[in-house]
Amino acid sequence: LWLRVHSRFSHAVVPAMQQEDPGAPADCRICGEAGNLVSPCSCRGTIGMVHADCVVREVVARADPQDWRCSICRKEMTGDVCLVLGSAVAQALEVALGTGHPAVICAHNRDATLRLGAGQYAGAVTAAERALAGAEVAYGPKDSEAGCVLANLGAALQGVGRHGDAAHHLERAVVVLTSACGERHHTVAMVWQNLAGVYQGLGRREAARELLQRAVKVFALRSWTQPQLERARQQLARLD
């Protein structure tokens, strides 16, 4: 399953997509027609130029529409086309499989995470709400899968300024994920970090400080969580 928790304090997960090369013939590799072309993968030259809509149709028609690799170079596609893919794949899978299917839940959560990384918080709220509706039915409200979706929904709600709702969902996520993973898991620390940001916005500075101090201790346990550690320390410094 493609379930992950997005940190509001991490870098965007949707890198910029290469635009059309003015010197190249304006023909889409997939349909052969001209138009506004993009290069969403590692292919170079005219073979890499496609319409975003053509990419979406190609991926949705695959046996596994969660596979977003280019059919030529086999590299994962990047850029704004992924935002289009996220919602299109989720909708297609929901029609085919139903709301509570694991693949559908996964696809909606992936869409939410991509939109969080791109700063599209309203769209992330919609996607995460759909993922949560399916996850709570399929797995139960106390399952770790539902906990990850709760965390992403909380981050999205924070992004649109609904701090009270964000706190509610992030607090639920903390309970679920702590029970499933333990307090020393980096995913729990990421949710603490997001919840601390919400508490700060609500004026609950001491509660925010306590969560950040706990997150710092967890991030310090692993070398690969050093970026999160540094950002948590920066948040703490702003509270002083």
Side-chain angles (χ1 to χ4, degrees):
L1 288 181
W2 205 97
L3 286 176
R4 60 172 288 187
V5 170
H6 176 82
S7 170
R8 287 289 315 285
F9 304 94
S10 63
H11 297 295
V13 297
V14 186
M17 181 168 53
Q18 294 186 28
Q19 299 301 311
E20 181 178 2
D21 179 359
D27 294 324
C28 172
R29 170 177 59 79
I30 297 174
C31 72
E33 297 181 1
N36 184 23
L37 307 179
V38 295
S39 179
C41 62
S42 296
C43 292
R44 293 293 177 261
T46 57
I47 198 172
M49 308 311 297
V50 292
H51 295 116
D53 288 346
C54 289
V55 173
V56 171
R57 284 194 293 271
E58 181 183 81
V59 172
V60 169
R62 290 176 178 174
D64 179 13
Q66 303 264 39
D67 178 5
W68 292 5
R69 291 175 296 176
C70 169
S71 58
I72 304 297
C73 69
R74 305 305 296 165
K75 299 294 185 182
E76 192 83 6
M77 286 182 278
T78 62
D80 293 343
V81 71
C82 291
L83 297 174
V84 183
L85 276 172
S87 58
V89 168
Q91 290 170 16
L93 286 173
E94 186 167 344
V95 169
L97 302 173
T99 304
H101 193 281
V104 176
I105 299 165
C106 175
H108 281 305
N109 194 60
R110 186 180 194 179
D111 185 24
T113 308
L114 288 167
R115 293 184 184 283
L116 278 167
Q120 296 187 4
Y121 300 121
V125 168
T126 300
E129 286 177 338
R130 296 187 74 84
L132 183 61
E136 290 188 326
V137 171
Y139 307 120
K142 297 182 179 180
D143 189 89
S144 61
E145 309 282 3
C148 289
V149 180
L150 278 166
N152 285 336
L153 178 54
L157 289 166
Q158 181 187 6
V160 296
R162 293 169 56 184
H163 296 291
D165 291 334
H168 171 71
H169 286 85
L170 288 170
E171 286 165 352
R172 286 183 60 196
V174 166
V175 172
V176 172
L177 293 172
T178 300
S179 176
C181 307
E183 287 194 346
R184 299 179 69 180
H185 198 279
H186 70 279
T187 300
V188 175
M190 288 173 64
V191 181
W192 285 339
Q193 188 180 18
N194 285 349
L195 183 54
V198 173
Y199 282 168
Q200 187 174 359
L202 292 171
R204 299 174 60 183
R205 295 174 64 85
E206 288 306 313
R209 189 189 311 278
E210 179 184 347
L211 287 178
L212 288 171
Q213 289 171 341
R214 295 167 70 182
V216 163
K217 291 179 180 179
V218 174
F219 291 144
L221 296 174
R222 303 167 179 84
S223 60
W224 52 271
T225 55
Q226 293 306 299
Q228 289 93 337
L229 173 61
E230 181 58 31
R231 285 188 284 271
R233 284 174 171 166
Q234 291 172 359
Q235 284 177 266
L236 267 173
R238 288 194 292 270
L239 286 173
D240 294 333

